[in-house]
Amino acid sequence: MRLNLTPNAISMMNGGDLNLKPLVQVLDIKQLGGAQERYRLLISDSVSTHHAMLGTQLNDLVRNSLVKKGSVIQLVEYICSDVQNRKIIVVLNLVTLESDYDTIGNPKMLADINPQKPFPSGNSVQSAWAGYNNSSGPSRGNNVQNFESPLRASNQGSSMHSFRPAMTSPNSGNNVQTYRSNFSAQNRGNNMQSFQPTVQPPYQPPPIYKNHGAIMKNEAPARIIPIAALNPYQGRWAIKARVTAKGDLRRYNNARGDGKVFSFDLLDSDGGEIRVTCFNAVVDRFHEVIEVGRVYLISKGSLKPAQKNFNHLKNEWEIFLEATSDVDLCPDEDNSIPQQQFAFKPISEIEIVENNTILDVIGIVISVNPSVPILRKNGMETQRRILNLKDASGKSIELTLWGDFCNKEGQQLQEIVDSGVFPVLAVKAAKVSDFSGKSLGTISSTQLVINPDIPEAHGLKDWFDLGGQNSASVSISRDVLPGVSKNEIRKTVSQIKHEGLGRSDKPDWVTVSARITFVKTDTFCYTACPLMIGDRQCNKKVTSSGNSRWQCDRCNQEFDECDYRYLLQVQVQDHTGLTWVTAFQESGEEILGLPAKELYQMKYELQDDTKFSDIMRSRLFQQFLLKLKIKEEMYGDEQRVKITVVKADKVNYSSESRYLLDLITKSPRY
């Protein structure tokens, strides 16, 4: 059997012909290195050869040996991009005619391509493909469904073009295999000398659009595809999915100016998840439209690599909506799409999970603490509530609720537990912390579901009611002593040095009861930038630019008033020794008892040195419970242990007495 490849196919594709649908031969296949599986092909038209990249949605064809060295294929859909001054053909869809065939002709590289020039890097190729999303390239899907093979066998009474392969997904290899088998069976034993590829007929709209009047090629409605099939190489797509989480609206400031952003998570009927992000003007269009739990039809967005530092979903892509994007509410709720999808991890396994991991957990709420106000690092106040979860693994863990979670689900849980009932709580997207043992905390995309109607919840409730309530469980969050605040590890000053605290990869967090013996007064605070970057204050040091104005090099802006923040160098001492610690804004105010701005004005503007000195002396020899962060850092060429005061509380002598008595009773010599 003899096959004739499409003459001059390589030259015509390089010239920009995207409708040729040529027959070419694969002379070589190479898998490229990198995190994502990619294949580079060397294709031939029997005279010339050229490199091509296989779209990742077609990787299964190589894995299943439907495309290999020697295969004769027809390029159904492709683009030709300029990458690092080279033409690269990106194959988006193909049909295999023969999977194994002798080399046809004596092909050579095109004369205008330098074979010694290295193939563009994966990042460059990725960037070129990503840019194709917004181009006017061929419509995906419709061309594939309407594709009619140009092959005709001269010794057959009927043409083969009535076969329409449905190459619409990476799993369409079976269709390719069937097409190849039929082709081979019809021509087995016959003389194929007259076999010639014919010119592909011009594109015709699928029957569903007939009699609707003339339409542009890209005006046909985009096909609804699974989230898992999304990739940057598709020109037109639509997904139907349910919103499972919606993030808060955040504002930011950078070198390009102010802006705002919000994100929401989607789940479809196939279990695929993806995050959608909107910026600035797009926020105004969709922020009020998006509701958690509703189903939407979304199209005309662009796909970019997911930022895994902020996106915990198991998807390598993230959708960015644009001014031309469509988000349409589906009036009829689709019961095939679940309300939420969980991947629960037993509490006992969380003990070995890395810090900052995002995971799902389900447990029985056995205790709920009251909500308390907490001052955040950016100076804003928020709420914190701690509860305990227990499951059948024999372990329990602390879950910290932050912000609105305290007043919504947190208050509801407290009322349920106070009534004597222990509810089941399913937590979607909790963040692991190793601050004290292992604990969990909520983030903006966390979802809390009380007594969910799912098999895992029913099984856990049955276990608890049938004896699990009375079974012992070990907390993987650090235990505390009576009279001591949560997560407190007591040390003496001498133990910090003798035990080598702070010299491991992670910082040590301890509490020391000590007295203030000296405070440096020459550099007790600094002038700071008051501008907000997102939900946090910049706080970088600013300099005077004259005319009573201040300049921030980070924000590249000037302003009339700056902020004043503590940077205290304090010497503390207990009965075992003394050491130097650093106290920043909040802990500095707790030690000195008044804002840094007031002290700054007293010393440098009012120049009231007497009053300033009296305030500093009044703080000496006062006893505090100092919560310390101890971490070794590099100063020039020298490693030094830095001790930072995280919180400074005046000693409550009643609680302190209970703590000391408990130590005495637990002493081996008692």
Side-chain angles (χ1 to χ4, degrees):
M1 180 178 70
R2 180 184 175 189
L3 293 177
N4 292 327
L5 306 181
T6 303
N8 300 319
I10 300 296
S11 297
M12 288 188 283
M13 286 190 290
N14 271 277
D17 191 340
L18 301 180
N19 299 310
L20 184 62
K21 296 182 172 58
L23 270 68
V24 295
Q25 186 175 24
V26 179
L27 299 185
D28 192 21
I29 298 180
K30 181 179 180 181
Q31 183 174 354
L32 301 181
Q36 188 176 18
E37 181 183 6
R38 279 197 203 100
Y39 293 97
R40 183 184 73 184
L41 310 180
L42 182 64
I43 58 176
S44 160
D45 61 8
S46 77
V47 176
S48 303
T49 64
H50 199 280
H51 284 125
M53 292 294 297
L54 192 68
T56 55
Q57 70 272 24
L58 304 179
N59 285 348
D60 279 348
L61 301 181
V62 176
R63 299 190 199 105
N64 298 329
S65 298
L66 297 176
V67 174
K68 58 185 179 180
K69 186 175 180 179
S71 296
V72 176
I73 61 177
Q74 182 164 30
L75 305 185
V76 178
E77 196 174 2
Y78 54 89
I79 60 174
C80 193
S81 300
D82 289 311
V83 182
Q84 296 182 0
N85 299 321
R86 288 195 56 168
K87 291 283 188 180
I88 298 297
I89 298 171
V90 181
V91 181
L92 303 174
N93 214 340
L94 62 86
V95 174
T96 301
L97 305 181
E98 282 292 333
S99 63
D100 195 0
Y101 201 83
D102 294 336
T103 302
I104 301 174
N106 186 25
K108 298 180 180 179
M109 275 285 187
L110 283 178
D112 60 342
I113 296 180
N114 180 7
Q116 302 301 321
K117 190 169 184 178
F119 193 76
S121 66
N123 291 336
S124 300
V125 176
Q126 175 89 359
S127 300
W129 295 354
Y132 183 65
N133 280 332
N134 300 320
S135 70
S136 57
S139 175
R140 307 288 186 267
N142 294 337
N143 288 350
V144 180
Q145 293 173 355
N146 193 56
F147 166 67
E148 297 183 357
S149 173
L151 299 179
R152 304 180 188 277
S154 59
N155 59 339
Q156 297 294 328
S158 61
S159 74
M160 296 171 59
H161 74 277
S162 60
F163 177 81
R164 301 170 184 262
M167 295 284 289
T168 59
S169 75
N171 299 317
S172 55
N174 294 334
N175 293 337
V176 180
Q177 182 69 40
T178 304
Y179 180 89
R180 184 190 63 174
S181 301
N182 292 342
F183 177 83
S184 301
Q186 291 177 1
N187 296 285
R188 189 178 294 112
N190 296 329
N191 183 0
M192 292 296 294
Q193 298 295 325
S194 61
F195 176 85
Q196 292 287 341
T198 61
V199 177
Q200 167 70 14
Y203 170 82
Q204 297 293 331
I208 189 174
Y209 303 121
K210 285 186 177 181
N211 301 324
H212 289 187
I215 61 175
M216 295 290 290
K217 189 176 194 179
N218 284 335
E219 287 181 353
R223 295 178 298 114
I224 296 178
I225 64 174
I227 287 176
L230 283 173
N231 61 73
Y233 323 126
Q234 295 159 317
R236 307 186 67 234
W237 51 264
I239 56 174
K240 185 179 181 181
R242 188 185 305 277
V243 178
T244 57
K246 178 180 177 182
D248 297 329
L249 177 62
R250 296 184 292 108
R251 300 185 182 275
Y252 62 88
N253 177 279
N254 55 30
R256 291 177 291 182
D258 299 333
K260 52 188 175 181
V261 60
F262 91 101
S263 301
F264 56 94
D265 297 341
L266 295 176
L267 170 67
D268 69 5
S269 57
D270 293 323
E273 293 182 287
I274 196 167
R275 175 158 296 175
V276 182
T277 301
C278 305
F279 283 92
N280 300 326
V282 183
V283 172
D284 298 331
R285 285 189 60 195
F286 299 123
H287 185 261
E288 299 302 325
V289 173
I290 298 300
E291 297 181 32
V292 175
R294 305 300 297 271
V295 177
Y296 297 86
L297 192 66
I298 298 177
S299 60
K300 298 180 184 176
S302 62
L303 269 77
K304 298 180 182 180
Q307 300 183 37
K308 290 303 182 181
N309 291 340
F310 310 99
N311 187 345
H312 64 276
L313 299 181
K314 295 179 180 179
N315 197 317
E316 61 178 315
W317 306 112
E318 185 171 338
I319 297 175
F320 285 77
L321 295 185
E322 301 165 343
T324 57
S325 299
D326 291 331
V327 176
D328 299 317
L329 177 66
C330 297
D332 297 326
E333 293 294 341
D334 192 339
N335 293 327
S336 66
I337 304 178
Q339 292 291 328
Q340 186 58 271
Q341 178 173 266
F342 295 97
F344 294 124
K345 185 173 287 293
I347 293 176
S348 60
E349 295 183 11
I350 300 177
E351 196 166 11
I352 58 175
V353 171
E354 292 185 2
N355 189 36
N356 296 326
T357 300
I358 306 298
L359 51 79
D360 303 343
V361 67
I362 187 170
I364 301 288
V365 180
I366 56 177
S367 67
V368 181
N369 293 338
S371 179
V372 295
I374 296 293
L375 189 65
R376 300 172 64 180
K377 291 182 179 180
N378 60 12
M380 300 178 64
E381 187 178 276
T382 188
Q383 295 292 315
R384 182 186 71 182
R385 186 191 293 269
I386 297 173
L387 54 86
N388 283 273
L389 295 178
K390 173 183 180 179
D391 70 1
S393 68
K395 302 285 186 178
S396 63
I397 192 171
E398 286 186 347
L399 171 66
T400 301
L401 309 184
W402 294 98
D404 290 340
F405 290 111
C406 298
N407 302 324
K408 295 179 181 178
E409 294 88 351
Q411 184 61 33
Q412 183 180 352
L413 287 169
Q414 184 168 18
E415 292 173 358
I416 294 174
V417 173
D418 289 345
S419 68
V421 179
F422 300 96
V424 177
L425 179 65
V427 185
K428 175 74 173 179
K431 186 176 182 180
V432 176
S433 170
D434 60 1
F435 176 71
S436 61
K438 278 296 194 309
S439 60
L440 299 173
T442 60
I443 56 178
S444 60
S445 58
T446 298
Q447 296 288 301
L448 303 179
V449 185
I450 302 173
N451 292 325
D453 187 14
I454 56 177
E456 294 91 341
H458 298 314
L460 189 59
K461 188 64 175 175
D462 291 341
W463 164 82
F464 189 77
D465 293 339
L466 294 175
Q469 179 175 0
N470 300 320
S471 65
S473 63
V474 179
S475 175
I476 64 174
S477 302
R478 189 165 292 159
D479 293 331
V480 297
L481 292 171
V484 181
S485 61
K486 173 187 172 294
N487 301 333
E488 184 176 300
I489 301 176
R490 282 292 192 97
K491 297 290 182 181
T492 62
V493 170
S494 63
Q495 284 178 309
I496 295 176
K497 180 179 179 180
H498 294 159
E499 296 182 9
L501 299 183
R503 298 189 180 276
S504 59
D505 293 336
K506 297 178 180 179
D508 287 306
W509 304 79
V510 301
T511 298
V512 172
S513 177
R515 297 182 183 274
I516 306 296
T517 57
F518 185 78
V519 179
K520 286 187 176 181
T521 59
D522 51 348
T523 56
F524 66 92
C525 73
Y526 71 97
T527 51
C529 175
L531 300 180
M532 299 297 294
I533 301 178
D535 60 348
R536 301 188 65 177
Q537 189 172 326
C538 173
N539 287 335
K540 290 295 182 180
K541 185 175 181 179
V542 297
T543 56
S544 176
S545 59
N547 299 323
S548 300
R549 293 179 64 82
W550 300 89
Q551 170 75 34
C552 177
D553 293 334
R554 177 183 182 182
C555 299
N556 196 25
Q557 293 190 42
E558 286 190 356
F559 32 85
D560 294 328
E561 294 186 3
C562 68
D563 199 1
Y564 297 86
R565 297 185 64 83
Y566 277 116
L567 182 58
L568 284 179
Q569 299 295 322
V570 180
Q571 188 182 67
V572 299
Q573 182 177 9
D574 68 359
H575 64 285
T576 66
L578 57 84
T579 188
W580 284 94
V581 299
T582 301
F584 291 99
Q585 181 68 356
E586 291 81 8
S587 55
E589 285 191 11
E590 291 167 348
I591 292 173
L592 295 182
L594 69 166
K597 183 177 181 180
E598 187 174 333
L599 270 181
Y600 181 90
Q601 292 174 338
M602 187 184 302
K603 180 176 182 179
Y604 295 105
E605 296 179 8
L606 301 177
Q607 296 184 351
D608 191 345
D609 292 336
T610 301
K611 187 175 181 181
F612 178 84
S613 299
D614 289 342
I615 291 175
M616 289 299 181
R617 281 195 297 269
S618 68
R619 300 305 184 265
L620 297 180
F621 305 108
Q622 289 197 14
Q623 188 171 1
F624 290 87
L625 281 179
L626 303 173
K627 192 166 189 176
L628 305 178
K629 175 186 175 183
I630 309 171
K631 186 71 177 73
E632 190 174 48
E633 297 182 358
M634 182 69 73
Y635 290 86
D637 297 330
E638 183 182 356
Q639 288 272 46
R640 296 183 185 176
V641 174
K642 181 178 180 181
I643 305 175
T644 304
V645 180
V646 178
K647 188 170 182 57
D649 293 320
K650 288 188 176 181
V651 172
N652 182 318
Y653 291 101
S654 175
S655 298
E656 187 70 4
S657 297
R658 286 197 299 271
Y659 166 74
L660 294 174
L661 285 172
D662 189 74
L663 284 182
I664 294 173
T665 58
K666 291 184 177 181
S667 172
R669 292 174 294 178
Y670 179 74

